Amino acid sequence: MALNVTDLRVYYRTLRGEVKALDGVTFSVADGEIMGLAGESGSGKSTLAKSLIRLDGRMRHVGGTVELDGAAMPLSDDDAMDEFRFRKVSLIPQYSMSALNPTRKIGRMVGELLDSRGERPDRAELERRLELVGLSKDVLDRYPIELSGGMKQRVVMVVSTLLNPSLLIADEVTSALDVSSQKAVATTLLGFRDRGLVTSMMVVTHDISLVYQIADSIMVMYAGRLAEKAPADVLVTAPRHPYTQQLVSALPEVGVRYEDRRLAGIPGSPPSLLKPPGGCRFRDRCPLAFDQCAEQPPFAEVAPGHLVACWKAE
Amino acid sequence: MRYEALHFALRNRKLVAGTVVILVFLVAGLAGPLMFDHGPNDYVGPPMAAPSGEFWFGTTTFGQDVFAQFLYGLRATFLVGVLGGVLAAAVGMVVGFVAGYRGGWVDELLTMLTNIVLVLPALVVLLIVNAYLGVRSIGVQALFIGLTSWPWAARAIRAQTFSLRSRDFVDLARLSGVRTPRIILREIAPNMSSYLFLTFILLFGSAILIAASLDFIGLGPTEGVSLGLMLNNAARWSALQLGLWWWFIPPGAGITAIVGALYVMNVGLDEVFNPKLREM
Amino acid sequence: MLKLDGVSKVYRVGAFGGRELKAVSDVSFEVGEGEVVSLIGESGSGKSTLGRMILRLASVSGGTITLDGRDITSIKDRKEYYRQVQGVFQDPFSCYNPVFRADRVFAMIKEQYFPRAGADEWRKRVEGALESVRLDPGNVLGKYPHQLSGGQLQRMLIARAVLLDIRLLVADEIISMLDASTRIDVLNLLADLRARGLGILFVTHDLSLGNYVSDRTVVLRHGKIVEMGRTDLVFGSPAHPYTRSLLASVPRLHAKWTDAEMTDAVEDVPCAYHEAPQESRTRPGLAEIDSDHYVACADKEKA
């Protein structure tokens, strides 16, 4: 198992109290697995991604453990986490475009970054990797401003996978891109795994149709908790959690026209995570809700590799 | 909206405290001088007397009543600060708003004008104009200060307006048929109200300081006193070395307290105007 | 109703406006009553610029935009124009002045258009408009923008447009910032408005959304129309290689990209524009290859 997360809780400190952004999630990502992490804004998917790299000042690790390749990650110890960052876990941020220092040439920046991790830059390997994502080695002698948004994105992708991390987290990397570049970036991610440059991957997105294209499995979050995790095909064709079911059926596809089939959204809105209600958090919006939902359902395996947090799923 | 702002304003300690301090000084400056039957520069007491029941703030080297000077000085200082600050803020806002909102050649022209005034050595110009015209009244002094100290305010307001102009709510107001001056006044200005107030405070403060400098080189009003004039007189006659602390501390503390209170008010106003800060 | 005829937009950039940047060139299409037209394009295609020109938020550099035959720039009274044509934009949070309550967008309409309406009467109208966009007035009135969700704010903006007797709504990427579970409801609202006889220009980069709601589709690239016509034709039998590659890139829920890769090999397909007979070239640069299905020449771009 590459990644094992057990009952992880991360809260945000705000002036009005603690927001329970990540409230007890347990899951694992296998070696070689590309897991899509889907959810709406406020579902906790970004908090989960950030927690595995760096807790920002407002985030507090309240409980739970994270194990990567058998070693426990010290989430709340920023210095000790340096051991893991970049080498074992790496992140492609959402705004890669601004992740590059504008005053440094790309090559020098990469060198400095490797230096700070005590690694020796391997120029030939770097050039080979750039070629892999369709960039020529000339970009190393250019400034970030001379590259297009898509090129910068690819540079960041190469840099963050340079040390062959065990886990790569891609945080909404395609959301700001056009349809055609989305496809290029997504297939590049797939290529990283297929060539063994990264062992497993977590692709955070709000776009289920996109992540379905490259992921082996998809995990859906709702209001700080896990709703469902299943192989990508199963999640899209036969979801078991009522939230996933409604979410998937609310997605318009090319070919679907509202005159033929009027899709419906999910009525209501997610609960506030300042003082979330007890029990299942989807209860208020759920058409299947019944008495037992006042109790939090476990995230239980209903079929091999298919986990659902719903009393009605079994 | 109005009522609500008032509601939060009255419950904001910073705003209330700042306002109280300013009001106390303002009332002191307006009503205080009525207490005396002598002028601020009259030689009424023994020289270099420490504060006492008769002369609350003591006397100067020449036997002038420091308390009387302080109260009269407050009046002059408020007048220069308010007139100069209001004028500079008004010019700065008009230039900044118009340049930032209209853009294009209007912007280029106004920016050029702003930069020209900005690089003019304002004090030198003031000196020349002042000496040449021989003007010696507080009003004219305030006018000069106001007309030379607006450029940086205009630049700051232009930049803010520029970024707010492209926000969608401005487009939405245009789609509602609202006219340009009203958009500037009702949509853009409220978003920078605390910023505008801060601008005014800084201009107010700098007007007081410029006035003090002018006073010092003998180009201030010949009659009367101001806090700046007091400070500079104290420095000129070595009050510090002679240990006459009562001569320079009141005017210095007065200027500091007024400007400081305005800053505190500004922070409070920010909380009143910004509904997000209100909830914290 | 709304007709664009050879519309272009040129930006002057550089020192003294020395260089020209053509954001939109020679675009012609129409939006009829009770019709939803999607304007589809990637970033930099000029689709938003077109929307802003129709809303008179940007000037027109060339060509004409007419509403019922009247050049919109000749309508001196902007208020009269905005009574008929309104817009909703991409970012609902940026459409509200953060200093004021969200329902101020309604107050602004009252102040400008219905100054004499009584308070009670106006309140009823606002509540009616909110209900027509499926919002509970009690939940949204009197709140500040940051207390409401993106979906609620966006619906309020549609309600605002409905308060006027508009005939055309320009919806510029109005759901791209909303969550998946609420975006479809906003999209359905557009369909409801269409049923009431409104013309809607739906500007989007998302092909599946455009396909879901629109009657006709215009595909833009680099400021030019590459293909347009009835939505079922444009999406069902795309003739221009650009449209085809766009369609092939769209992530679908039940088909993976690899399956769609086969239709990607479009380079050998002859140019539909040149294949079409001479007399079908009824519009400049476009050939009508089917009834209400126009395509631009693809060879020009290859060269």
Side-chain angles (χ1 to χ4, degrees):
Chain A
M1 284 290 182
L3 179 76
N4 271 315
V5 176
T6 314
D7 197 29
L8 182 62
R9 285 162 205 274
V10 175
Y11 295 173
Y12 273 96
R13 275 185 287 252
T14 72
L15 287 159
R16 283 186 288 165
E18 285 201 314
V19 173
K20 301 181 174 59
L22 202 56
D23 207 10
V25 301
T26 303
F27 67 95
S28 50
V29 180
D31 280 338
E33 179 177 346
I34 297 183
M35 184 184 82
L37 179 56
E40 301 182 272
S41 49
S43 63
K45 60 182 193 301
S46 289
T47 310
L48 175 54
K50 275 189 221 155
S51 304
L52 299 181
I53 285 285
R54 168 176 280 131
L55 297 177
D56 74 31
R58 297 182 304 133
M59 290 159 76
R60 194 164 69 87
H61 178 204
V62 179
T65 55
V66 178
E67 258 179 39
L68 184 64
D69 295 333
M73 288 170 68
L75 291 194
S76 44
D77 186 343
D78 198 43
D79 294 329
M81 277 292 281
D82 265 342
E83 197 66 22
F84 287 86
R85 276 181 214 132
F86 195 37
R87 220 173 300 239
K88 291 183 181 144
V89 196
S90 209
L91 175 86
I92 307 174
Q94 181 169 6
Y95 298 104
S96 297
M97 328 295 171
S98 50
L100 301 174
N101 183 342
T103 63
R104 292 265 197 289
K105 284 186 179 168
I106 305 282
R108 186 164 159 216
M109 200 160 50
V110 175
E112 283 172 3
L113 184 68
L114 286 172
D115 233 24
S116 73
R117 300 285 149 171
E119 299 281 338
R120 309 216 50 204
D122 180 349
R123 182 91 184 186
E125 177 64 14
L126 186 58
E127 284 170 10
R128 200 177 69 79
R129 300 260 173 122
L130 285 171
E131 205 175 306
L132 216 64
V133 297
L135 293 174
S136 83
K137 60 185 177 184
D138 302 344
V139 297
L140 292 176
D141 295 318
R142 292 210 241 162
Y143 288 98
I145 197 169
E146 300 173 76
L147 308 182
S148 73
M151 289 166 87
K152 276 190 256 186
Q153 178 83 285
R154 280 180 277 169
V155 168
V156 173
M157 284 166 72
V158 166
V159 170
S160 49
T161 53
L162 211 50
L163 296 184
N164 296 358
S166 189
L167 178 70
L168 178 68
I169 302 171
D171 188 4
E172 296 277 10
V173 283
T174 57
S175 340
L177 300 176
D178 280 327
V179 183
S180 44
S181 357
Q182 269 185 355
K183 184 176 175 182
V185 166
T187 38
T188 307
L189 286 178
L190 195 59
F192 282 160
R193 194 269 317 259
D194 292 346
R195 284 162 206 274
L197 304 186
V198 301
T199 315
S200 13
M201 210 182 292
M202 225 164 91
V203 183
V204 183
T205 182
H206 65 273
D207 190 341
I208 293 187
S209 343
L210 184 99
V211 81
Y212 165 74
Q213 304 293 328
I214 58 166
D216 304 310
S217 63
I218 298 179
M219 183 162 85
V220 178
M221 290 190 70
Y222 182 79
R225 288 196 176 140
L226 304 182
E228 184 161 8
K229 185 186 175 191
D233 284 316
V234 176
L235 190 112
V236 165
T237 50
R240 298 273 194 104
H241 196 287
Y243 172 64
T244 322
Q245 287 168 352
Q246 282 184 284
L247 192 63
V248 168
S249 68
L251 298 176
E253 272 197 89
V254 174
V256 174
R257 310 216 348 107
Y258 92 98
E259 285 133 326
D260 315 330
R261 184 152 71 88
R262 192 181 169 112
L263 306 174
I266 307 176
S269 51
S272 157
L273 296 182
L274 266 176
K275 287 190 194 81
C280 174
R281 291 190 178 162
F282 188 59
R283 190 165 34 135
D284 290 345
R285 301 169 83 184
C286 182
L288 306 178
F290 67 122
D291 294 347
Q292 204 179 356
C293 298
E295 207 182 309
Q296 166 66 20
F299 192 53
E301 190 153 22
V302 293
H306 192 166
L307 296 98
V308 186
C310 179
W311 294 116
K312 293 267 188 175
E314 286 149 74
Chain B
M1 174 65 204
R2 295 269 150 74
Y3 274 123
E4 193 175 79
L6 197 65
H7 172 90
F8 284 104
L10 290 177
R11 270 155 196 76
N12 190 298
R13 281 195 208 146
K14 290 173 195 144
L15 186 59
V16 172
T19 315
V20 166
V21 171
I22 295 293
L23 281 181
V24 165
F25 277 108
L26 192 62
V27 169
L30 289 177
L34 304 175
M35 287 162 42
F36 304 101
D37 47 11
H38 55 81
N41 290 330
D42 293 350
Y43 309 107
V44 289
M48 295 197 265
S52 65
E54 195 187 349
F55 301 107
W56 291 3
F57 285 3
T59 61
T60 68
T61 327
F62 315 103
Q64 292 153 314
D65 184 350
V66 175
F67 190 53
Q69 287 196 334
F70 180 70
L71 293 182
Y72 274 101
L74 272 180
R75 193 185 264 192
T77 295
F78 263 110
L79 199 63
V80 165
V82 168
L83 285 182
V86 164
L87 185 63
V91 177
M93 276 187 217
V94 169
V95 172
F97 278 138
V98 172
Y101 191 80
R102 295 317 288 246
W105 65 269
V106 177
D107 178 33
E108 280 179 33
L109 199 75
L110 286 174
T111 305
M112 201 189 293
L113 177 73
T114 308
N115 289 339
I116 289 174
V117 180
L118 190 70
V119 295
L120 281 180
L123 204 61
V124 175
V125 175
L126 281 176
L127 275 176
I128 294 167
V129 173
N130 229 344
Y132 188 68
L133 295 178
V135 188
R136 290 291 190 273
S137 85
I138 288 178
V140 177
Q141 192 184 38
L143 184 74
F144 285 135
I145 293 172
L147 286 180
T148 49
S149 50
W150 57 269
W152 70 263
R155 285 171 64 103
I157 291 170
R158 172 186 170 272
Q160 285 267 319
T161 309
F162 207 72
S163 78
L164 285 169
R165 174 183 76 155
S166 56
R167 298 274 288 277
D168 289 340
F169 63 77
V170 172
D171 281 342
L172 205 73
R174 289 168 74 184
L175 286 188
S176 303
V178 183
R179 289 178 194 283
T180 306
R182 206 181 165 86
I183 290 181
I184 292 177
L185 224 58
R186 301 274 307 271
E187 303 295 322
I188 293 179
N191 266 287
M192 39 198 281
S193 52
S194 63
Y195 193 82
L196 294 175
F197 193 70
L198 181 73
T199 306
F200 171 69
I201 289 168
L202 293 175
L203 289 171
F204 185 103
S206 78
I208 292 175
L209 295 177
I210 295 175
S213 320
L214 282 177
D215 296 348
F216 182 68
I217 28 193
L219 293 170
T222 36
E223 290 297 306
V225 296
S226 68
L227 294 187
L229 205 52
M230 282 175 76
L231 264 182
N232 286 297
N233 273 332
R236 196 144 50 124
W237 304 108
S238 317
L240 191 64
Q241 289 85 341
L242 296 172
L244 306 179
W245 53 266
W246 55 85
W247 193 356
F248 57 83
I249 284 186
I255 291 178
T256 313
I258 292 171
V259 177
L262 286 166
Y263 273 106
V264 174
M265 275 174 80
N266 177 65
V267 176
L269 271 182
D270 213 3
E271 292 171 359
V272 168
F273 280 121
N274 191 335
K276 263 190 216 165
L277 289 179
R278 222 181 260 163
E279 282 178 8
M280 294 182 173
Chain C
M1 181 175 55
L2 183 88
K3 188 164 184 221
L4 280 76
D5 195 4
V7 172
S8 40
K9 175 76 189 175
V10 176
Y11 287 106
R12 299 200 165 274
V13 292
F16 307 106
R19 279 193 304 140
E20 286 190 349
L21 200 81
K22 210 151 193 187
V24 173
S25 53
D26 201 17
V27 166
S28 311
F29 65 88
E30 289 123 68
V31 183
E33 267 164 46
E35 182 183 51
V36 181
V37 174
S38 334
L39 197 55
I40 289 178
E42 300 190 293
S43 56
S45 64
K47 59 186 191 303
S48 288
T49 308
L50 269 170
R52 292 180 64 81
M53 283 196 281
I54 294 169
L55 289 172
R56 297 185 66 178
L57 294 172
S59 62
V60 179
S61 312
T64 53
I65 303 177
T66 54
L67 183 72
D68 299 328
R70 264 178 93 188
D71 188 336
I72 61 164
T73 51
S74 76
I75 302 177
K76 282 282 169 284
D77 186 2
R78 279 172 184 263
K79 261 161 109 171
E80 186 202 325
Y81 182 66
Y82 289 142
R83 191 188 281 273
Q84 303 177 62
V85 179
Q86 275 295 331
V88 181
F89 306 115
Q90 174 172 18
D91 180 357
F93 293 97
S94 146
C95 280
Y96 290 83
N97 199 328
V99 182
F100 301 105
R101 289 175 202 274
D103 50 24
R104 183 160 176 273
V105 295
F106 303 133
M108 213 143 52
I109 294 286
K110 177 177 183 328
E111 182 185 284
Q112 293 294 326
Y113 287 94
F114 307 99
R116 260 169 273 150
D120 279 342
E121 180 205 337
W122 181 253
R123 196 179 170 79
K124 280 205 188 90
R125 282 195 66 164
V126 169
E127 287 177 357
L130 286 173
E131 273 152 21
S132 76
V133 296
R134 309 222 166 94
L135 278 177
D136 179 357
N139 280 343
V140 293
L141 292 178
K143 294 258 176 73
Y144 282 95
H146 68 271
Q147 296 168 323
L148 298 167
S149 74
Q152 284 173 319
L153 291 172
Q154 207 63 305
R155 284 183 219 201
M156 282 175 76
L157 289 175
I158 297 176
R160 167 192 167 277
V162 170
L163 277 173
L164 297 164
D165 305 314
I166 56 161
R167 301 169 55 216
L168 177 77
L169 183 71
V170 177
D172 186 356
E173 295 274 11
I174 61 167
I175 48 180
S176 55
M177 295 192 54
L178 303 182
D179 272 326
S181 70
T182 50
R183 55 167 48 174
I184 198 73
D185 292 325
V186 174
L187 210 52
N188 284 335
L189 276 180
L190 291 188
D192 294 344
L193 291 181
R194 164 183 178 268
R196 288 165 56 172
L198 257 72
I200 294 169
L201 183 67
F202 181 60
V203 180
T204 185
H205 69 277
D206 190 321
L207 283 87
S208 43
L209 300 178
N211 173 252
Y212 178 73
V213 78
S214 66
D215 304 299
R216 298 176 70 243
T217 297
V218 177
V219 183
L220 278 182
R221 185 191 196 189
H222 302 323
K224 294 194 187 91
I225 294 180
V226 296
E227 187 161 359
M228 72 171 185
R230 270 173 32 214
T231 298
D232 54 336
L233 292 176
V234 172
F235 281 83
S237 46
H240 196 280
Y242 177 67
T243 317
R244 283 189 230 182
S245 76
L246 269 186
L247 274 168
S249 308
V250 176
R252 294 164 196 245
L253 257 194
H254 301 288
K256 294 209 176 178
W257 278 326
T258 39
D259 311 340
E261 215 79 56
M262 306 309 286
T263 57
D264 237 3
V266 283
E267 295 307 315
D268 302 332
V269 178
C271 169
Y273 176 82
H274 283 116
E275 291 286 292
Q278 197 73 38
E279 61 271 21
S280 70
R281 296 177 196 170
T282 49
R283 291 172 181 238
L286 293 172
E288 187 166 16
I289 51 172
D290 199 341
S291 98
D292 198 12
H293 185 185
Y294 301 84
V295 66
C297 173
D299 284 343
K300 247 190 305 187
E301 284 162 32
K302 278 185 203 160

